[in-house]
């Protein structure tokens, strides 16, 4: 494991660049780049330069050599939402026979607990909420009118020579979430243009009855 600083430490702790534990074969771990990792590649002649301060900036914004996937990001956001529990994802809740009888239930245990300072967690969630539902937020145009409070963030990854990849990650309801949704579109452009609207459709379906009740109380109608 390459681990040289706070960015790498927290990325690994939250599940980025790590096996997810999902019960499917052929999983790619991904990569959280570090100074040791790049400097070793440079020493072996496999890259054109050693680690630089710019690599820290790239990693902090999710760019550069970072390799992850929507499931890893979902695990990380879930840990933020639940207070630090690294969950074990599973493809189903139960196994049924042809008559609908439950033959087996699945309840995968949490993989570990990460200590997240409550004050830091609160500030991060508050920022994500503002990004989604406060004027000027990166996805306010999409989630500003959604009656259920959410905490979400757009992402736009550059992947030359391909078009930009759109991302959106959202926790709901804010501030005590019970669902995390991650959406990504290859060559989808800005996160607010494609990924955020898709995430909105998912949450509209999930919170349909609650959203209608809130909208009715407020004298309006859900998106």
């Amino acid at each position: 494991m390459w681990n040289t600083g706070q960015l790498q430490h927290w990325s690994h702790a939250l599940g980025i660049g790590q096996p997810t534990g999902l019960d499917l074969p052929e999983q790619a771990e991904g990569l959280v780049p570090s100074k040791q990792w790049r400097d070793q590649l440079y020493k072996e002649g496999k890259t054109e330069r050693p680690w630089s301060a710019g690599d820290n900036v790239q990693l902090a914004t999710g760019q550069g050599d970072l390799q992850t996937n929507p499931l890893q990001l979902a695990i990380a956001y879930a840990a933020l939402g639940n207070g630090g529990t690294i969950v074990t994802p599973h493809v189903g809740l139960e196994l049924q026979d042809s008559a609908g009888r439950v033959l087996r239930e699945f309840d995968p245990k949490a993989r570990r607990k990460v200590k997240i300072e409550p004050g830091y967690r609160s500030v991060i969630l508050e920022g994500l909420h503002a990004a989604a539902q406060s004027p000027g937020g990166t996805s306010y145009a999409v989630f500003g009118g959604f009656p259920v409070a959410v905490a979400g963030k757009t992402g736009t990854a550059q992947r030359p020579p391909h078009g930009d990849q759109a991302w959106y990650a959202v926790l709901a309801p804010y501030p005590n979430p019970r669902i995390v949704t991650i959406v990504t579109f290859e060559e989808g452009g800005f996160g607010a243009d494609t990924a955020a609207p898709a995430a909105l459709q998912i949450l509209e379906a999930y919170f349909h009855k609650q959203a209608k009740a809130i909208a009715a109380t407020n004298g309006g109608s859900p998106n």
Side-chain angles (χ1 to χ4, degrees):
M1 178 187 296
W2 302 99
N3 186 3
T4 61
Q6 289 298 313
L7 289 173
Q8 288 85 358
H9 167 74
W10 280 102
S11 295
H12 285 303
L14 293 173
I16 304 298
Q18 300 287 308
T20 64
L22 183 68
D23 47 349
L24 290 175
E26 305 295 331
Q27 292 189 64
E29 293 186 11
L31 170 69
V32 176
S34 68
K35 186 178 189 303
Q36 287 95 330
W37 169 80
R38 177 166 277 283
D39 287 355
Q40 182 62 33
L41 289 182
Y42 180 71
K43 182 179 179 180
E44 296 172 0
K46 296 179 180 178
T47 187
E48 74 285 356
R49 61 174 179 80
W51 184 269
S52 70
D55 289 299
N56 288 318
V57 177
Q58 292 275 38
L59 178 57
T61 58
Q63 303 282 14
D65 297 305
L66 178 68
Q67 297 177 19
T68 188
N69 58 50
L71 186 56
Q72 289 183 1
L73 199 60
I75 291 171
Y77 265 74
L80 179 62
N82 64 35
T85 299
I86 305 299
V87 300
T88 302
H90 198 70
V91 295
L93 294 176
E94 59 188 24
L95 180 65
Q96 300 180 353
D97 63 15
S98 58
R101 293 184 292 263
V102 177
L103 302 178
R104 180 183 176 187
E105 293 183 343
F106 300 100
D107 184 23
K109 303 304 179 185
R111 294 158 64 200
R112 62 182 180 277
K113 183 79 173 180
V114 177
K115 185 177 180 179
I116 302 176
E117 177 64 38
Y120 295 163
R121 173 181 175 270
S122 178
V123 169
I124 293 171
L125 287 175
E126 183 180 347
L128 292 172
H129 173 58
Q133 294 186 309
S134 292
T138 56
S139 55
Y140 177 73
V142 178
F143 277 95
F146 189 52
V148 177
V150 305
K153 184 68 181 71
T154 56
T156 306
Q158 284 78 48
R159 298 177 59 239
H162 305 284
D164 290 346
Q165 181 159 344
W167 286 81
Y168 196 74
V170 58
L171 292 161
Y174 169 83
N176 300 303
R178 63 175 184 267
I179 181 174
V180 58
T181 301
I182 309 294
V183 176
T184 188
F185 283 91
E186 293 187 359
E187 302 193 25
F190 292 113
D193 292 340
T194 53
L200 175 63
Q201 291 183 34
I202 293 171
L203 293 186
E204 282 178 333
Y206 184 86
F207 288 110
H208 180 65
K209 291 183 179 179
Q210 181 178 342
K212 286 185 66 176
I214 294 174
T217 300
N218 294 334
S221 60
N223 291 345

